[in-house]
Amino acid sequence: MKSIVLIVSILSLFNLLDAHPAGGHDPELTAAKRAKELHRKYVKTVEGILKHRRTGCTLKTVRRRKEWNSLTKPEKLDYINSVHCLAKLPYQTPLSLVPGVRNRYDDFTASHALRTPFVHQNGIFLAYHRHYNHLFETALRTECNFKGTLPYWDWTIGWQDVNKNPIFDGSPTSLGSNGVFIPNRTHFISVNPLGKVLDRSPGTGGGCVYSGPFTPDKWIIHLGPFTDPKGPNDGWGYNPRCLDRDLLKDFGTYTRPSNITHVLDNCQDLACASSYIQESGNGVHSAGHIQTGGIMLDVFASPSDPVFWPHHAMVDKIWTMWQFIGGAEEYVGRTREVWGTATRYNIPPSPNVTLDSPVDVGGIIGPTRRLEELVSTIDNDYCYIYE
């Protein structure tokens, strides 16, 4: 019965998104204003908690994650250069485990590929990716002298056409351009190892990223594809190739402001919030991958695209805001709320997730943690806020 209620709730949310109210006002402008209001509420709650602390995460020590387009030019270059630095360091993954790795950045892609069947469409998804992003940011800071914080990509900025977002403008301070346009393509249909069938219309690119810091002479992907046609060793082998993208504006409809505000305003429990965020194809998480295209369509190897990290920082931002917008008292309950099982769509059936559930990111990049250690962005290893 609970599953039926949840499905009905999710479908109701999508129906709300397709409704067009009477009158001439733009509902997305209204939603964008509401999102800013909720963001201010979130920040006020976090800072209100931190101002009373004298140890651990405090107002003086909290790190502030910024939206990509609000970074200064030096801040963007610091991040880009640190990502390139990581790709020049030696790998730590045993070749007997993943024979295709060639650098430290590949360790993170390999780790995600190994854990993919166990950290998507389930109760581990949000916590796993929060910690995964944290470990990546930590590696940039400790191994590559990165001075900033992990940026996030707010998809609601220019949601009508992802091609126009400056994060993809191909300048030296972007995360690279679209891919070279390949004409006369049919629908992209693929079945990944999780059994997910993706039917996607062609976008505005399709080929190698042609300008910016991640062109073929600067950035090479080594793992995958894990979708058909698969790379060597079913995707685990060495397969050097360019970073490809295929920006598709159609899926902006699932990353518009009202998608965000509906999660924050309407979801009263984690079952609703997590399910809506994760919804295959129509959820904001999937839509970010699909509208980018290229390697981002390969759920196993998607971290090969450097935009993966800001994308997942935005996913984490939504969860974080949902946890905090109800005030300090509600935050305590929401950061201890769990939902779902540890298997994808609960297939095969498995026990419900608890705060004691292990979250394995792969020993390559970090040890297994308890879910309870990963639920708050201002406790344990974490100390950050989204600006």
Side-chain angles (χ1 to χ4, degrees):
M1 178 61 69
K2 289 183 178 179
S3 298
I4 295 174
V5 172
L6 175 59
I7 292 170
V8 171
S9 298
I10 296 300
L11 291 175
S12 297
L13 284 175
F14 281 120
N15 289 336
L16 282 170
L17 291 179
D18 290 331
H20 297 282
H25 76 280
D26 184 344
E28 295 308 321
L29 288 179
T30 301
K33 291 178 181 178
R34 175 61 175 160
K36 290 181 180 180
E37 176 186 341
L38 292 171
H39 184 265
R40 289 191 294 267
K41 191 175 182 180
Y42 146 69
V43 171
K44 182 178 179 180
T45 298
V46 177
E47 292 183 342
I49 295 170
L50 296 182
K51 73 179 182 181
H52 298 293
R53 294 185 176 182
R54 297 294 177 266
T55 60
C57 187
T58 69
L59 275 178
K60 290 184 178 180
T61 60
V62 69
R63 298 177 57 75
R64 297 179 181 270
R65 290 183 173 180
K66 303 177 182 179
E67 205 282 323
W68 178 262
N69 294 300
S70 71
L71 296 177
T72 64
K73 181 178 179 180
E75 287 173 332
K76 290 178 180 178
L77 290 175
D78 183 27
Y79 178 74
I80 292 166
N81 291 337
S82 296
V83 170
H84 277 289
C85 163
L86 205 63
K88 294 176 182 176
L89 298 180
Y91 60 87
Q92 298 178 15
T93 305
L95 292 180
S96 58
L97 181 63
V98 184
V101 295
R102 289 299 181 272
N103 58 49
R104 183 71 171 127
Y105 189 99
D106 286 347
D107 287 338
F108 284 85
T109 302
S111 174
H112 186 268
L114 289 165
R115 299 306 304 158
T116 285
F118 314 105
V119 296
H120 293 86
Q121 282 83 41
N122 64 11
I124 298 293
F125 171 80
L126 291 173
Y128 166 85
H129 285 89
R130 171 177 286 174
H131 196 53
Y132 182 57
N133 261 19
H134 166 74
L135 293 173
F136 181 74
E137 180 185 48
T138 300
L140 293 181
R141 291 177 55 77
T142 59
E143 300 177 41
C144 288
N145 201 32
F146 177 48
K147 301 301 183 184
T149 55
L150 190 67
Y152 66 95
W153 165 29
D154 185 349
W155 328 288
T156 68
I157 297 175
W159 64 271
Q160 300 93 333
D161 189 353
V162 66
N163 293 274
K164 297 179 181 178
N165 193 305
I167 200 170
F168 294 120
D169 69 12
S171 68
T173 53
S174 71
L175 290 184
S177 66
N178 194 4
V180 173
F181 178 63
I182 299 177
N184 303 319
R185 289 177 294 151
T186 58
H187 274 235
F188 175 87
I189 300 177
S190 179
V191 181
N192 69 31
L194 297 179
K196 170 65 179 175
V197 179
L198 176 62
D199 184 351
R200 177 189 186 271
S201 59
T204 55
C208 299
V209 166
Y210 56 82
S211 65
F214 297 99
T215 50
D217 59 322
K218 303 182 184 77
W219 192 256
I220 296 295
I221 293 173
H222 298 132
L223 297 174
F226 291 88
T227 56
D228 293 326
K230 297 178 182 178
N233 293 48
D234 286 332
W236 301 102
Y238 179 55
N239 186 25
R241 62 200 189 282
C242 70
L243 170 63
D244 60 331
R245 286 189 184 135
D246 189 22
L247 300 182
L248 178 67
K249 63 183 273 187
D250 297 8
F251 270 79
T253 191
Y254 301 114
T255 56
R256 52 188 172 174
S258 57
N259 288 67
I260 312 305
T261 55
H262 274 295
V263 175
L264 301 177
D265 280 330
N266 294 350
C267 286
Q268 299 304 310
D269 56 38
L270 186 60
C272 173
S274 182
S275 298
Y276 187 80
I277 290 169
Q278 292 190 67
E279 183 71 18
S280 293
N282 297 335
V284 291
H285 164 248
S286 296
H289 281 267
I290 295 171
Q291 69 180 349
T292 304
I295 193 66
M296 282 282 277
L297 298 178
D298 185 339
V299 63
F300 282 69
S302 52
S304 299
D305 189 330
V307 84
F308 172 95
W309 312 99
H311 165 60
H312 269 277
M314 181 61 181
V315 173
D316 182 60
K317 178 177 182 283
I318 297 171
W319 181 31
T320 304
M321 288 179 62
W322 180 84
Q323 292 179 308
F324 282 93
I325 56 174
E329 292 185 3
E330 187 170 294
Y331 142 78
V332 174
R334 286 195 171 185
T335 54
R336 297 188 64 78
E337 189 171 343
V338 295
W339 163 81
T341 71
T343 49
R344 182 176 180 267
Y345 297 125
N346 197 32
I347 302 173
S350 60
N352 288 335
V353 166
T354 71
L355 291 172
D356 287 323
S357 293
V359 180
D360 181 5
V361 293
I364 305 162
I365 61 172
T368 297
R369 306 298 293 269
R370 290 172 55 247
L371 183 62
E372 187 176 23
E373 299 176 273
L374 314 179
V375 294
S376 170
T377 59
I378 54 173
D379 294 292
N380 297 306
D381 288 350
Y382 308 145
C383 186
Y384 65 87
I385 189 173
Y386 287 99
E387 287 191 342

